[in-house]
């Protein structure tokens, strides 16, 4: 057990009597003081369906921890709903919440000298937030995913939350009636669980499983199914074994583990947000990881899964087809994941996958056979060029046209761009530029699901491009480039684009370019002044002062010199 463990501290000498007195009040007896103390970080909220079922998983986990000889102590951490905040000023708090979650879990576990931590989360930010805290703490830990939502249904087709966003664009383009729009809204989300495609939540759960920090198959289970609760209980017992053997997160979250996670994200067609979050988690784990590493892995990893948003199927179908273990076994058989990487169970990846077949079942359509991939290379490309000298991230699959050169349509706020789309002011061939929405400029790096869904709904998905220093939802697809760095607020070239300038997005060449001569760029740069911060007090102001570039994960504890 760790030298600074709480159970050790509270059994040492007479001076620890006050500690024991406090714990007796919450149910400890004499024999309990020698047991490992396990923090259970609970992200439960009825604010969002993603986290609605977490209390049940916490109860099952607690019972398993007790049965295995530990003493669970539950504490809460915040969550916000990206889906509810999307397209509003409130979305600026989404990425901020990742830092608050990480900080809160680190704070409680260190303040109370926990022997281990079991984190239970169900949506976009409490998963990477929990993993960042786990990496910082480096005490035995396991992550329990709340599970995916089951799809909604309407007229014989599966619906997800993205269906509702796209229906807004369809309605604005007069392609559906208001009654049809309301029917989609009423049927899109049938109950508890995270958004049902390979959006950010299911992408991150898959990455965490691939990294070895959660149990096999747990990343794709439905929130309301009994197997999800059983997996949560099993996780409690596994964590106690890790405490006894002092199996620490940084022994698991190695460079090899991150490469495995990236390979799985590419193979399943995951969210662009995985780039940002894996960079941040690696930073906390002190594992060197750069944007270029994603590009190296992308080039050698095929997209094997036909999943929404750009594909046809939802995550519950992926689970029935074999889930992450099936994909990992295919990657392992072709040398694309590290089989010797360790997992929280104490087994290696190769040992964990020993009984998984190398080929997916022929009676399903979600996971392609190896020689018939959806795409021969990964879908998350790292873009460079004069508009992104630090890098940018594009999802380059699921679209007909992978390059565009067109006139810039420039917007300094997401809302202004959305209004232009809904009012029919965007034309085929345009390149939309949404700036001052980066980590510092927004602040908070909002996701642009509302405008990108409106583009799809209006039938312009293959006809326009979009670049932003903000982010995209995992539900976004199209010729879109996000995480543009340096961002506009710090003087990145995106700040110098004028309406009508020629901009090129070339996915095959991975180029993002403002087509202007250098003297004109220099003239504009000399005249540019940073706008005043949008917030001067409160959490958003603090975040803007601390946050790093998206190119290193938009973390708030980077050792960088601020200007």
């Amino acid at each position: 057990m760790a030298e600074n463990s709480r159970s050790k501290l509270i059994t040492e000498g007479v001076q620890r009597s006050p500690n024991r007195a406090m714990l007796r009040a919450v149910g400890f007896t004499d024999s309990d003081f020698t047991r490992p103390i396990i923090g259970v970080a609970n992200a439960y909220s009825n604010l969002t369906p993603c986290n609605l079922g977490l209390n049940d998983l916490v109860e099952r986990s607690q019972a398993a921890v007790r049965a295995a000889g530990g003493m669970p102590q539950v504490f809460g951490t915040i969550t916000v709903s990206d889906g509810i905040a999307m397209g509003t000023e409130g979305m600026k708090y989404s990425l901020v919440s990742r830092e608050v979650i990480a900080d809160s879990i680190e704070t409680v576990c260190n303040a109370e000298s926990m022997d281990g931590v079991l984190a239970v989360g169900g949506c976009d930010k409490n998963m990477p937030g929990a993993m960042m805290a786990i990496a910082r703490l480096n005490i035995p830990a396991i992550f329990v995913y709340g599970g995916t939502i089951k799809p909604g249904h309407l007229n014989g087709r599966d619906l997800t939350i993205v269906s509702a966003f796209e229906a807004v664009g369809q309605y604005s383009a007069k392609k559906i009636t208001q009654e049809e729009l309301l029917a989609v809204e009423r049927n899109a989300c049938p109950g508890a669980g995270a958004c049902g495609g390979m959006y950010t939540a299911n992408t991150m759960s898959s990455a965490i499983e691939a990294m070895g920090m959660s149990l096999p198959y747990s990343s794709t289970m439905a929130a309301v199914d009994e197997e999800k609760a059983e997996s949560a209980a099993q996780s409690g017992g596994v964590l106690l074994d890790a405490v006894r053997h002092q199996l620490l997160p940084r022994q698991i979250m190695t460079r090899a583990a991150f490469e495995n996670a990236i390979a799985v994200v590419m193979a399943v067609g995951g969210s662009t947000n995985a780039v940002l979050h894996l960079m941040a988690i690696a930073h906390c784990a002190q594992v060197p990881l750069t944007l270029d590493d994603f590009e190296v892995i992308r080039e050698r990893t095929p997209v094997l899964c036909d999943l929404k948003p750009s594909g046809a199927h939802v995550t519950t179908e992926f689970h029935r087809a074999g889930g992450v273990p099936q994909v990992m076994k295919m990657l392992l058989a072709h040398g694309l994941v590290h089989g010797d990487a360790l997992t929280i169970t104490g087994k290696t990846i190769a040992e964990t996958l020993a009984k998984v077949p190398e080929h997916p079942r022929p009676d399903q359509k979600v996971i392609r056979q190896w020689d018939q991939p959806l795409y021969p290379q990964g879908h998350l490309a790292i873009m460079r060029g004069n508009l992104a000298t630090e890098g940018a991230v594009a999802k380059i699959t699921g679209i007909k046209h992978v390059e565009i050169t067109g006139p810039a349509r420039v917007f300094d706020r997401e809302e202004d761009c959305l209004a232009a789309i809904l009012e029919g002011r965007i034309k085929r061939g345009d390149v939309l530029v949404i700036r001052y929405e980066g980590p510092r400029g927004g602040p908070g790096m909002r996701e642009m699901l509302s405008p990108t869904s409106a583009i799809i709904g209006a039938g312009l998905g293959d006809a326009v491009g979009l670049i932003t220093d903000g982010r995209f939802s995992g539900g976004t697809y199209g010729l879109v480039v996000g995480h543009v760095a340096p961002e506009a607020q710090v003087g990145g070239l995106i700040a110098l684009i004028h309406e009508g300038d020629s901009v090129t997005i070339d996915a095959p060449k991975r180029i993002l370019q403002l087509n202007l001569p250098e003297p004109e760029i220099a003239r504009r740069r000399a005249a540019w002044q940073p706008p005043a911060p949008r917030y001067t007090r409160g959490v958003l102001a603090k975040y803007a002062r601390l946050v790093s570039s998206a190119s290193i994960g938009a973390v708030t504890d980077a050792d960088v010199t601020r200007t």
Side-chain angles (χ1 to χ4, degrees), residues 185-221:
E185 175 209 305
R186 289 167 178 153
N187 290 278
C189 297
C195 300
M198 192 47 67
Y199 310 143
T200 301
N202 287 321
T203 298
M204 290 311 301
S205 67
S206 298
I208 294 166
E209 180 180 328
M211 200 179 294
M213 289 300 299
S214 63
L215 296 187
Y217 297 100
S218 65
S219 66
T220 52
M221 294 173 178

Side-chain angles (χ1 to χ4, degrees), residues 131-204:
M131 292 302 297
M132 290 167 68
I134 285 168
R136 292 178 193 168
L137 289 163
N138 201 34
I139 59 175
I142 194 167
F143 183 79
V144 174
Y145 178 41
T148 184
I149 197 171
K150 291 189 173 181
H153 300 285
L154 182 66
N155 300 327
R157 65 187 178 106
D158 287 342
L159 298 179
T160 68
I161 184 60
V162 175
S163 306
F165 281 94
E166 292 179 0
V168 172
Q170 292 169 333
Y171 173 71
S172 299
K174 297 181 170 55
K175 294 186 175 184
I176 61 173
T177 65
Q178 185 176 19
E179 289 73 21
E180 290 171 314
L181 170 62
L182 289 173
V184 172
E185 175 209 305
R186 289 167 178 153
N187 290 278
C189 297
C195 300
M198 192 47 67
Y199 310 143
T200 301
N202 287 321
T203 298
M204 290 311 301

Side-chain angles (χ1 to χ4, degrees), residues 78-82 85 88-101 125 442-447 471 535 537-541 543:
I78 68 161
T79 195
V80 300
S81 172
D82 289 3
T88 74
E89 195 78 357
M91 188 62 191
K92 293 182 177 181
Y93 290 86
S94 170
L95 191 59
V96 176
S97 76
R98 185 191 73 177
E99 306 305 303
V100 177
I101 292 161
K125 303 308 176 300
M445 207 178 178
R446 285 193 287 185
E447 293 181 348
R471 296 182 294 131
Y535 295 84
R537 301 288 295 274
V539 66
L540 291 180
Y543 180 83

Side-chain angles (χ1 to χ4, degrees), residues 370-563:
W370 184 263
D371 59 355
Q372 296 178 326
L374 204 62
Y375 303 99
Q377 291 182 316
H379 63 302
L380 299 180
I382 305 304
M383 309 287 279
R384 301 280 184 179
N386 65 1
L387 275 170
T389 54
E390 292 180 10
V393 182
K395 186 184 288 187
I396 62 173
T397 57
I399 51 177
K400 294 178 183 177
H401 305 293
V402 292
E403 57 184 293
I404 186 173
T405 295
R409 304 296 307 278
V410 182
F411 305 94
D412 289 349
R413 296 169 67 249
E414 175 191 0
E415 292 88 344
D416 297 337
C417 180
L418 177 62
I421 298 165
L422 296 180
E423 293 166 11
R425 292 188 276 122
I426 301 303
K427 307 301 180 186
R428 301 178 73 85
D430 286 347
V431 178
L432 284 64
V433 178
I434 307 177
R435 63 190 180 188
Y436 296 106
E437 291 284 8
R440 294 182 71 181
M445 207 178 178
R446 285 193 287 185
E447 293 181 348
M448 304 294 149
L449 181 59
S450 293
T452 57
S453 295
I455 288 168
I456 298 296
L460 295 172
D462 290 314
V464 302
L466 187 151
I467 70 170
T468 181
D469 51 10
R471 296 182 294 131
F472 295 117
S473 162
T476 293
Y477 62 102
L479 190 55
V480 296
V481 184
H483 308 199
V484 172
E487 62 173 290
Q489 187 70 26
V490 301
L493 189 57
I494 191 173
L496 308 183
I497 303 174
H498 289 180
E499 184 82 7
D501 283 347
S502 173
V503 172
T504 294
I505 305 172
D506 189 330
K509 294 180 180 177
R510 296 177 296 287
I511 290 174
L512 187 63
Q513 190 79 14
L514 175 61
N515 301 311
L516 284 179
E518 283 300 323
E520 173 61 15
I521 292 174
R523 185 190 69 78
R524 293 185 186 182
R525 188 173 300 284
W528 178 82
Q529 292 291 327
R534 286 171 167 159
Y535 295 84
T536 57
R537 301 288 295 274
V539 66
L540 291 180
K542 289 191 289 185
Y543 180 83
R545 287 194 292 268
L546 292 172
V547 70
S548 74
S549 168
S551 64
I552 58 173
V555 295
T556 53
D557 63 345
D559 184 16
V560 293
T561 301
R562 311 302 299 206
T563 57

Side-chain angles (χ1 to χ4, degrees), residues 60-125:
R60 293 290 291 270
S61 300
Q62 279 196 91
V65 167
R66 286 194 186 94
M71 287 300 292
Q73 291 195 287
V74 180
F75 61 93
T77 184
I78 68 161
T79 195
V80 300
S81 172
D82 289 3
I84 295 172
M86 197 74 68
T88 74
E89 195 78 357
M91 188 62 191
K92 293 182 177 181
Y93 290 86
S94 170
L95 191 59
V96 176
S97 76
R98 185 191 73 177
E99 306 305 303
V100 177
I101 292 161
D103 291 351
S104 66
I105 295 173
E106 177 192 355
T107 298
V108 173
C109 289
N110 274 338
E112 304 301 320
S113 302
M114 298 293 188
D115 295 302
V117 59
L118 184 149
V120 185
C123 69
D124 292 10
K125 303 308 176 300

